[in-house]
Amino acid sequence: MSGLVAELESLAPTMAPDAVLTDPDRMAGYRWDRANDPTAGTPVAVVRVSSTEDVQAVVRLAARHRVPIVTRGAGTSLSGGSTAADGCVVISTERMRRIEVDPLTRTCRTEPGLFNAEVKAAAAAHGLWYPPDPSSFEICSIGGNIATNAGGLCCVKYGVTTDYVLGMTVVLADGTVVELGGPRIKDVAGLSLTKLFVGSEGTLGIVTEVVLRLLPAQRPPSTLVATFGSLTDATGAVCEMTRTMRPSMLEFMDQASINAVEDMTRMGLDRSAAALLVIQSDEPAEFALAELEAISEICSRYRASEVFHTDDPQEGEAFVAARRAAIPALERRGSLLLEDVGVPIPQLSDLVDGIAAISANRGVDIAVVAHAGDGNTHPLIVFDPSDTEQVERAQAAYGEVMELAIGLGGTITGEHGVGRLKKAWLPDQLGEEAMELNRRIKQALDPDGILNPGVIF
Ligand SMILES: Cc1cc2nc3c(=O)[nH]c(=O)nc-3n(C[C@H](O)[C@H](O)[C@H](O)COP(=O)(O)OP(=O)(O)OC[C@H]3O[C@@H](n4cnc5c(N)ncnc54)[C@H](O)[C@@H]3O)c2cc1C
């Protein structure tokens, strides 16, 4: 191992200053991600790469020494995907920050270290828009988004990360550099390898550059906020809306998350509501009005206690910000086990009711926020980490929520990835044949299992 560290340090002169870190204090910030896994390991080195060539050089060394590599973007993974493994080399992409926007092809070519918000801003400077918008868009990297196939709030109308990835440069486990796709809207030459790497969570290769499709700038949205006295009414209204309409946002908060956000923001949310929906339309003004009137009528039919509508984008953004604030607001109440289960929309009501039943049976608080229009919920299990018995009940509930989703024909993860925390449930969802196919692909691309071991597989 010390041989590897010496060889990594010998690479340092070919890299930007201070690229290789081996001091435990300076490496500490690279051990954990936002899943806060207490079993996080200690790396032997962190390399802050600046180019594809840097990545290739580090991978070749690690491959020769058969040392694990954990690729890290901004470390906001909620499933433990960027948690360090013991004795690994962490490749941090934080310094890979070049971006070029090409308005002619309506694409951008970007390195992985930029934050999602920075990619959006670069596109906006040309009157263009990169839609995928995880709630963490100001703190997560675009490389992490590619590697987890991140979703977000506007995905109900505009799709998820993979729908915008046209090409990439990827460094394989043996150091080979592969160029896939490019700034072409249509391209079916060969297998869909670009798509294979999207969502592969750093287990098949390291993405060092990516070509993203951009759209014309979004029209300023109109916003409707509705509160409900029962969860069933709120989820019933969601099912009714998605049958015939495509709002540009359809988000859900339950009472526990409304109250946590209200505690933090004091913005005047109705603490007594069982559920709140935040819905947007970005159609041209007259169509937006018609769409939101139809949605308002559905909310009333499902006994909404209050329906509020604004075409002032800033006023609307305050409610969207409230929804985005749910995770940090609940983190103030204790430690979180964060779920990401999704179901076909007609099963949304059964999922939300089932989660409430698990919360009652296990005696643990579970707040729910959801990208409701996608059937993708985030049950947030809140617990006191110093109470061993409560930790056990929270962990039991964590498994039961995933089993519930699988039983309803759903998924254990809609957007955060399997990471380390959910892999025990993956075979139950995929079945043995699909699981084996996953293993064969991993084996073909990373026969020594050095890329993010312990994640997914
Ligand atoms: C408050 C909060 C809200 C969130 N909301 C959302 C949301 O709405 N939607 C959503 O999808 N997620 C959400 N997330 C989760 C998280 O932000 C996403 O999973 C994000 O895509 C991770 O990006 P990152 O740069 O932090 O990646 P990291 O945590 O650094 O890494 C995530 C995974 O990607 C791999 N990886 C990173 N970069 C590369 C690369 N260049 N090549 C290969 N593999 C790589 C890592 O090895 C790891 O497996 C939220 C997180 C927080 C804290």
Side-chain angles (χ1 to χ4, degrees):
M1 193 68 77
S2 59
L4 170 72
V5 172
E7 286 181 59
L8 283 172
E9 279 169 344
S10 76
L11 288 178
T14 67
M15 296 183 178
D18 209 21
V20 181
L21 307 180
T22 51
D23 170 12
D25 289 343
R26 295 190 73 194
M27 292 196 297
Y30 295 85
R31 291 183 60 200
W32 288 275
D33 53 33
R34 286 290 282 265
N36 295 319
D37 183 348
T39 66
T42 305
V44 290
V46 173
V47 187
R48 299 186 291 176
V49 290
S50 299
S51 65
T52 300
E53 293 71 28
D54 285 359
V55 175
Q56 185 177 42
V58 176
V59 171
R60 280 183 174 153
L61 278 186
R64 187 140 48 77
H65 289 266
R66 298 205 176 176
V67 165
I69 295 170
V70 176
T71 307
R72 185 182 180 92
T76 66
S77 170
L78 294 167
S79 57
S82 47
T83 304
D86 253 338
C88 75
V89 174
V90 171
I91 292 186
S92 167
T93 62
E94 71 201 275
R95 290 178 166 183
M96 297 190 73
R97 296 184 43 78
R98 279 176 286 257
I99 184 165
E100 265 173 48
V101 177
D102 178 8
L104 285 182
T105 54
R106 231 173 52 203
T107 61
C108 71
R109 187 178 285 276
T110 177
E111 291 186 333
L114 275 94
F115 292 138
N116 173 300
E118 293 173 315
V119 173
K120 281 182 188 300
H126 294 267
L128 296 171
W129 180 40
Y130 175 66
D133 58 345
S135 296
S136 50
F137 75 112
E138 287 160 312
I139 53 170
C140 65
S141 77
I142 197 73
N145 290 177
I146 308 300
T148 56
N149 193 9
L153 282 68
C154 74
C155 299
V156 61
K157 182 167 181 178
Y158 290 100
V160 296
T161 302
T162 191
D163 299 310
Y164 295 87
V165 182
L166 297 177
M168 63 172 66
T169 305
V170 59
V171 178
L172 302 182
D174 62 358
T176 308
V177 176
V178 185
E179 303 279 344
L180 299 169
R184 302 178 285 273
I185 301 299
K186 296 179 77 179
D187 182 351
V188 293
L191 298 179
S192 296
L193 296 181
T194 310
K195 300 291 174 189
L196 178 64
F197 285 95
V198 177
S200 64
E201 302 187 45
T203 64
L204 300 183
I206 299 164
V207 178
T208 57
E209 203 172 278
V210 61
V211 179
L212 297 171
R213 189 163 70 100
L214 304 174
L215 297 187
Q218 187 183 27
R219 279 180 290 267
S222 299
T223 307
L224 183 143
V225 181
T227 49
F228 295 82
S230 92
L231 291 175
T232 313
D233 283 340
T235 51
V238 168
C239 289
E240 184 78 25
M241 287 169 210
T242 50
R243 270 193 326 120
T244 51
M245 277 173 272
R246 253 181 119 198
S248 56
M249 185 180 295
L250 178 34
E251 294 290 312
F252 167 100
M253 296 169 73
D254 74 350
Q255 189 167 40
S257 51
I258 293 169
N259 275 279
V261 170
E262 184 56 22
D263 284 347
M264 190 167 89
T265 62
R266 309 278 171 202
M267 65 180 286
L269 299 175
D270 177 1
R271 287 180 179 276
S272 67
L276 178 148
L277 297 179
V278 183
I279 304 160
Q280 289 194 326
S281 172
D282 63 357
E283 294 292 320
E286 67 274 27
F287 297 110
L289 185 62
E291 191 170 40
L292 290 186
E293 274 173 358
I295 286 171
S296 172
E297 193 272 320
I298 291 172
C299 291
S300 302
R301 212 154 8 99
Y302 279 83
R303 295 166 285 281
S305 42
E306 201 180 337
V307 180
F308 162 80
H309 163 221
T310 177
D311 55 13
D312 175 347
Q314 273 182 340
E315 200 176 7
E317 177 55 28
F319 289 97
V320 179
R323 160 62 188 88
R324 284 201 195 100
I327 295 176
L330 282 150
E331 276 175 336
R332 294 168 148 216
R333 297 199 162 178
S335 291
L336 295 184
L337 272 174
L338 212 146
E339 294 274 12
D340 175 35
V341 291
V343 287
I345 304 272
Q347 272 67 57
L348 186 61
S349 191
D350 289 343
L351 179 66
V352 173
D353 290 348
I355 292 165
I358 292 169
S359 167
N361 288 344
R362 286 287 172 189
V364 286
D365 291 336
I366 309 183
V368 181
V369 291
H371 307 301
D374 296 325
N376 181 197
T377 67
H378 296 314
L380 298 130
I381 304 169
V382 189
F383 64 98
D384 173 358
S386 65
D387 179 341
T388 319
E389 198 258 337
Q390 203 184 109
V391 172
E392 279 168 17
R393 282 187 281 123
Q395 279 166 345
Y398 186 68
E400 285 169 3
V401 169
M402 281 186 273
E403 283 154 18
L404 170 69
I406 294 170
L408 291 169
T411 176
I412 58 172
T413 174
E415 57 184 19
H416 294 165
V418 174
R420 287 165 203 284
L421 301 192
K422 294 181 193 148
K423 67 178 175 178
W425 289 269
L426 188 61
D428 287 347
Q429 180 186 329
L430 297 189
E432 192 39 46
E433 289 77 12
M435 197 63 221
E436 184 51 25
L437 187 53
N438 274 264
R439 287 191 204 104
R440 281 164 58 191
I441 291 169
K442 169 74 173 168
Q443 175 67 21
L445 289 177
D446 180 19
D448 292 327
I450 62 166
L451 295 180
N452 226 351
V455 167
I456 304 182
F457 300 96

